[in-house]
Structure formats: structure tokens, C-alpha cells
Amino acid sequence: MTWDPIKYNEFKEDRYKPFGDLTSHIVDKPNLKVIDLGCGTGELTQKLSNQLTNPVVLGIDSSAEMLAKAPQQENIQFKQGSISEQLEQETKWDLIFSNAALQWVDDHETLFPKIISRINPGGQLAVQMPQQTENVLNKILLELVQEEPYASYLNNWTRPSPVLTLDQYAKILFDSGGNDLVLYQKVYPLVSTRKDSFFDFISGSALTVYQERLNDSEFQELSDEFKKRINHYFPVVPSIYAFKRLLMYASF
């Protein structure tokens, strides 16, 4: 995926709100070995590190553009690579953390047990993801790219969300030996301040997977129609977008 840190960070405060909720469930222990899967610019990786007692932290992300913004701190290392590649390594961790990244990795019924297999005994898992299957902007976009001419432009390729239900994640965590389970969905409301606020929000994330598969004119055509449909759904400013996220914590 192609990420634009500037566009993504336009809504940094909204994207970072779930971080405090997620980290509130983590139990601090001295000298934790921590990995942040999909760390982005590393700003929250640093914040997580500073909330813990003498941790050693690795942040990984596939985007060189994002990692170019990563902070420098002695106990934190950043590495470019995909989450799937990282999980192929045998290294185990005391805390596996992921904030708004795993929704970009497919097959969660296989992914989550693999992640859990990389947790040391007594370790912890803390994950937050947008509930893309329920969020209206994602629904509008998925419907749109299956229509013509966009379906032909994309050779009928779409990117349905791999995000499961809370019931399914609860079963995966439990069946994998999880304890102290905490799973919930929370709405983080976004309020539009101008006509294209909601388009700009999603253009820094879910729209990027289509952008890299279209030429400039095709992507502009898709963007214009997507804006039109968003504005039809949210006809007045300000409007509220009930943006839903899943938060999950377990110890092992």
C-alpha cells in the first residue's frame, strides 16, 4: 500500500483517540519485550514505550514514507517490513501491540492464532482495528468499486475487509489460551467541518488500495463519484459519522 503521512496525519487526533483506551488494559511489567505491528510514523510506538517500565521495543511497518517520520529513542528500533513477514520469524514477545493496522492483513482466522503463537507465556496482546464491515464510508466505497466503469478499471478486483465479528475474535482468543479477555466495539464520532471532511478522512486509508491500481484519470473519476455519494449520504455540514472500532486485549 502507498501511504501519504501528511494526508494520514490530517486526522491524527481522531485516529489516535483509541490508543489511550487500548493501552489502559495493558499490565505494565519491567523489561517487557514489545513489538508494534504496523507502527506507522512511530509516534504512538514511542508513546507506548514511555508508558512502560524499561521496555525494549520494535516497531515494524511496510511504508518507508511512514517510517521516515519515526522518532529516535535508545530503547526503540524501527524496521521496514510487512506484518506477515515479521510473523514468519520465530521471535517471541511479551507484548504484541497493534493499533489500526491488522485490518490490512487478510485471513484473520489464521492471522490471530499465528500472532498469539509469537507471545511468550505470561505475555499480552492488545489490538485495535476499525470495524470496516460496519462503517458506512467503507460500505459506500466497496459498493462503488463493484460498479462500472470502476469494476473494469480494476479488473473486478476489490478489497473486502477481513475484520471479523467480536464473537469470532473472542472464540479465537479463548481457543488459543487467552485469559482476562476484554473485547468491545466503541464509536469514535467524527464531525464534518466542511463539505469533503469525510472523504479526506478515508482517502488517507481505505481509498489508497484502489489508488495504486488505477491511473490518475481513473482514480480522479472514482474519487469524484465517491465524494458525490458521501455528500448524498451526509447532505449537511456539520454531520456526524459514527466511526466504529474494535478493541481487544488478552493475556496468555
Side-chain angles (χ1 to χ4, degrees), residues 14-30:
D14 291 305
R15 296 187 192 279
Y16 286 7
K17 283 177 182 177
F19 174 86
D21 291 328
L22 183 61
T23 56
S24 70
H25 303 292
I26 295 171
V27 179
D28 183 20
K29 302 175 184 178

Side-chain angles (χ1 to χ4, degrees), residues 184-196:
Y184 57 100
Q185 177 176 281
K186 183 173 178 179
V187 171
Y188 293 86
L190 298 173
V191 176
S192 60
T193 58
R194 51 187 171 77
K195 183 179 178 183
D196 292 328

Side-chain angles (χ1 to χ4, degrees), residues 105-121:
V105 185
D106 290 332
D107 190 9
H108 282 201
E109 290 181 340
T110 300
L111 173 67
F112 271 73
K114 178 168 277 192
I115 290 173
I116 293 164
S117 75
R118 299 296 183 254
I119 299 175
N120 284 322

Side-chain angles (χ1 to χ4, degrees), residues 146-196:
Q146 294 178 81
E147 298 176 10
E148 292 296 346
Y150 316 109
S152 293
Y153 294 163
L154 292 160
N155 295 316
N156 294 310
W157 182 89
T158 62
R159 209 280 172 173
S161 174
V163 176
L164 307 174
T165 66
L166 278 177
D167 287 24
Q168 290 172 298
Y169 288 117
K171 186 175 189 305
I172 291 170
L173 295 178
F174 179 78
D175 289 349
S176 300
N179 300 295
D180 308 313
L181 270 59
V182 179
L183 300 97
Y184 57 100
Q185 177 176 281
K186 183 173 178 179
V187 171
Y188 293 86
L190 298 173
V191 176
S192 60
T193 58
R194 51 187 171 77
K195 183 179 178 183
D196 292 328

Side-chain angles (χ1 to χ4, degrees), residues 49-248:
S49 173
N50 293 342
Q51 291 179 7
L52 301 172
T53 304
N54 299 320
V56 175
V57 182
L58 173 64
I60 69 154
D61 201 276
S62 60
S63 170
E65 294 81 7
M66 287 290 203
L67 290 174
K69 306 289 185 181
Q72 301 294 314
Q73 187 164 307
E74 186 175 349
N75 69 319
I76 305 176
Q77 178 188 355
F78 291 99
K79 183 176 74 172
Q80 184 178 358
S82 72
I83 291 171
S84 297
E85 290 168 346
Q86 177 62 41
L87 294 174
E88 290 304 315
Q89 300 184 22
E90 298 295 329
T91 311
K92 294 199 174 186
W93 308 87
D94 301 315
L95 169 61
I96 295 183
F97 179 85
S98 186
N99 186 66
L102 296 182
Q103 72 273 15
W104 301 118
V105 185
D106 290 332
D107 190 9
H108 282 201
E109 290 181 340
T110 300
L111 173 67
F112 271 73
K114 178 168 277 192
I115 290 173
I116 293 164
S117 75
R118 299 296 183 254
I119 299 175
N120 284 322
Q124 303 171 76
L125 174 68
V127 171
Q128 182 272 121
M129 297 177 291
Q131 180 51 293
Q132 295 171 322
T133 54
E134 294 188 19
N135 286 329
V136 66
L137 294 187
N138 296 92
K139 290 181 179 180
I140 293 172
L141 178 58
L142 185 58
E143 290 174 2
L144 177 59
V145 295
Q146 294 178 81
E147 298 176 10
E148 292 296 346
Y150 316 109
S152 293
Y153 294 163
L154 292 160
N155 295 316
N156 294 310
W157 182 89
T158 62
R159 209 280 172 173
S161 174
V163 176
L164 307 174
T165 66
L166 278 177
D167 287 24
Q168 290 172 298
Y169 288 117
K171 186 175 189 305
I172 291 170
L173 295 178
F174 179 78
D175 289 349
S176 300
N179 300 295
D180 308 313
L181 270 59
V182 179
L183 300 97
Y184 57 100
Q185 177 176 281
K186 183 173 178 179
V187 171
Y188 293 86
L190 298 173
V191 176
S192 60
T193 58
R194 51 187 171 77
K195 183 179 178 183
D196 292 328
S197 285
F198 296 150
F199 172 82
D200 289 343
F201 175 75
I202 198 169
S203 70
S205 55
L207 196 57
T208 60
V209 296
Y210 297 103
Q211 182 177 8
E212 62 190 15
R213 287 170 171 79
L214 299 171
N215 64 41
D216 290 346
S217 63
E218 291 168 346
F219 181 68
Q220 188 61 55
E221 187 178 344
L222 174 65
S223 297
D224 290 344
E225 181 60 27
F226 190 26
K227 285 181 186 178
K228 191 181 301 181
R229 297 194 185 191
I230 293 171
N231 291 332
H232 177 74
Y233 194 93
F234 300 100
V236 298
V237 176
S239 288
I240 187 169
Y241 174 29
F243 191 71
K244 305 176 186 72
R245 296 181 182 270
L246 300 182
L247 295 94
M248 292 177 275

